[in-house]
Amino acid sequence: LSTWSAVPAGPPDPILGITEAFKADKDPRRINLGVGAYRDEDGKPYVLNAVKKAEERISAAKLDKEYLPITGLPGFTSNAAKLAYGADSVPRNQNAIAVTQSISGTGALRIGGAFLARHYPHSKTIYVPSPTWGNHIPLFKDSGLEVKYYRYFDKKTVGLDFEGLKEDLQNAPEGSIVLLHACAHNPTGVDPTQSQWKDISDFVAEKKLFPFFDMAYQGFASGSTDRDAFAVRYFVSQGHQIALSQSFAKNMGLYGERVGAFSLTTANEEERKRVDSQLKIIVRPMYSNPPLHGAHIANTILSDPELYQEWEGEVKGMADRIINMRERLYQLLSNDFRTPGEWSHVKSQIGMFSFTGLNKEQCKVLAEKAHIYMTMDGRISMAGLNGRNIEYFAKSVDAAVR
Ligand code: PLP
């Protein structure tokens, strides 16, 4: 008998499974709206010019391949914190932000989960929005936290269930951890307004909840890295101590390079040093130290004014293309085809994804009859749409809902 004969087959990953089905479909009209990676107007992956130029500089500099420190490339972590918290952030200027490089956003969340499970004194429960990015749940469970939910999405309005969110967070035990999507909520594309963020900050403070921000899309949502960092910076300005996960997968298109950062704001430099030492103790037995190349790319861009400016333009270009696709899809459904239902949420949602409101049956029909692949919750990646396929997509949605 084999040692592994009792290992049961697990279910396929719900999102990566869609890419498999898409690849197997040879119809020329096929569209993959499952995966959350940017595609250009030709439906192709896009390597940013700022990234290409940074790579040329790195190659010309003939750097060595020595190990990075446990918490990563110091210039990179410092610039990543500056990007998120802002140049004039108080804890940043007090040297009170503990930050480590991470294996993209997922790795940052995982370090954060492990740190909170080990050192957060008040609770081992993290409240995540319902719904949330599917990986949050196993990720925090595997980190040693208990996962609970707060209401977030209102199916009726296809918008934010602010009252539900407020009630659930106000009823959470004092000291609980709460996971907040900093911008471009995945999968719904629905974000609180700035005034709602201010209310959330108030009742998070009242209930002494600990805010853990997941910022996977800074700049990608609105086109402005400052605007998308509003919630994070506002909470810090109100005196919250926060945890923050950052990813450079989407905003620099560095998906497979795995570039990210995890940070905690602390009371002062002395406390920051103690926290830093514990971050090292968490990272060292996990993967020893992070990869080199992607951090150099991101740091080259973040530290050079000319490349930084080019990058900002390219982030805005990606965000604007997506915003245009939203406008066009809304026009097609609501004006051209007069598709039954209310479609303004397609326009008002933000970031990579749109929660269309299509049900499981309709999603299945779209895959089987129209060769259009999306997650069964009706989420589409707006980046998969372009000038050539958007009409076919809208027409297929129209047929599926009639
Ligand atoms: N958090 C959210 C909300 C995401 O949507 C994603 C990616 O889709 C991530 C984190 C992590 O992505 P990565 O590990 O590629 O940075």
Side-chain angles (χ1 to χ4, degrees), residues 293-355:
H293 187 64
H296 271 303
I297 296 172
N299 191 38
T300 303
I301 294 171
L302 293 173
S303 58
D304 180 274
E306 200 185 310
L307 284 185
Y308 189 95
Q309 208 185 2
E310 178 157 18
W311 169 60
E312 276 196 310
E314 290 187 283
V315 180
K316 185 161 183 341
M318 292 190 285
D320 284 350
R321 194 184 87 68
I322 288 177
I323 291 165
N324 284 338
M325 286 298 114
R326 291 186 181 283
E327 182 66 38
R328 180 101 177 87
L329 183 57
Y330 171 73
Q331 291 301 337
L332 283 165
L333 291 174
S334 122
N335 294 350
D336 298 23
F337 300 135
R338 301 200 175 276
T339 307
E342 220 289 302
W343 297 98
S344 59
H345 56 273
V346 169
K347 239 177 8 175
S348 59
Q349 291 169 351
I350 191 161
M352 181 90 81
F353 300 108
S354 174
F355 231 36

Side-chain angles (χ1 to χ4, degrees), residues 22 46 56 69 107 150 163 242-243 257 272 281 284 352 368:
F22 168 77
Y46 171 53
E56 279 163 20
Y150 62 87
E163 287 312 311
I242 70 162
E257 294 289 356
R272 193 264 298 158
I281 286 167
R284 176 71 170 143
M352 181 90 81
E368 284 161 12

Side-chain angles (χ1 to χ4, degrees), residues 104-106 109 133 136 181 186 214 216-217 247 249-250 258:
S104 210
T106 308
L109 293 164
W133 180 48
H136 278 146
H181 294 228
N186 177 6
D214 180 1
Y217 298 91
S247 169
K250 325 280 165 159
R258 314 305 291 144

Side-chain angles (χ1 to χ4, degrees), residues 15 35-37 102-109 132-136 139 179 181-187 214-217 245-250 254-256 258-260 352-353 379:
I15 293 173
V35 70
S102 63
I103 314 290
S104 210
T106 308
L109 293 164
T132 193
W133 180 48
N135 207 18
H136 278 146
L139 185 158
L179 189 278
H181 294 228
C183 62
H185 182 273
N186 177 6
D214 180 1
M215 186 151 65
Y217 298 91
S245 155
Q246 286 174 262
S247 169
F248 290 88
K250 325 280 165 159
L254 292 174
Y255 307 93
R258 314 305 291 144
V259 191
M352 181 90 81
F353 300 108
R379 184 194 82 165

Side-chain angles (χ1 to χ4, degrees), residues 161-208:
D161 179 3
F162 187 68
E163 287 312 311
L165 174 152
K166 186 171 175 175
E167 203 176 299
D168 288 351
L169 292 186
Q170 285 180 332
N171 288 332
E174 201 168 286
S176 301
I177 305 159
V178 56
L179 189 278
L180 300 162
H181 294 228
C183 62
H185 182 273
N186 177 6
T188 66
V190 174
D191 282 355
T193 62
Q194 293 197 349
S195 125
Q196 286 170 331
W197 274 123
K198 291 179 179 175
D199 287 346
I200 296 171
S201 165
D202 286 346
F203 55 76
V204 163
E206 270 161 37
K207 291 294 299 200
K208 299 189 171 62

Side-chain angles (χ1 to χ4, degrees), residues 32 47 51 63 71 111 119 155 160 171 175 178-179 182 184 186 195 232 255 269 290 302 311 316 367 377 394:
N32 184 1
V47 180
V51 167
L63 302 176
T71 51
I111 294 169
H119 298 290
K155 277 199 179 122
L160 183 68
N171 288 332
V178 56
L179 189 278
N186 177 6
S195 125
V232 165
Y255 307 93
E269 186 164 1
L302 293 173
W311 169 60
K316 185 161 183 341
D377 55 6

